[in-house]
Amino acid sequence: MYLPLTPPPLPFSVPPSLPPPPALFRRPGDLDEVYSDPSKAERELGWKATRNLDDMTRDLWRWQQQNPHGYK
């Protein structure tokens, strides 16, 4: 059994057109933090990231709203 933790403040802004994100709770095995540096993909594959964190957050929220039970 685990106790839900109070989610920390979001490190990004939620666009006003989106509802506030639901409370987030950690599960056993969830990562504390996730980092990404696309410079290796650009260097080795010639791929360059074109979206920022707000774009990615908006897209993730849209996907979650359309797929409340995850990918099937």
Side-chain angles (χ1 to χ4, degrees):
M1 183 170 138
Y2 67 96
L3 298 174
L5 301 174
T6 303
L10 296 174
F12 49 85
S13 62
V14 176
S17 61
L18 297 177
L24 305 173
F25 297 98
R26 292 191 49 221
R27 301 164 297 182
D30 282 353
L31 300 174
D32 290 332
E33 296 181 13
V34 178
Y35 297 91
S36 176
D37 179 2
S39 64
K40 184 175 180 180
E42 183 178 2
R43 193 171 52 250
E44 295 186 12
L45 303 174
W47 178 85
K48 183 164 177 63
T50 58
R51 306 281 194 301
N52 62 29
L53 186 58
D54 286 335
D55 295 334
M56 292 182 282
T57 304
R58 186 174 26 260
D59 186 52
L60 176 61
W61 182 251
R62 179 189 53 79
W63 188 92
Q64 184 64 48
Q65 292 300 102
Q66 293 174 358
N67 301 278
H69 302 291
Y71 179 77
K72 293 194 178 205

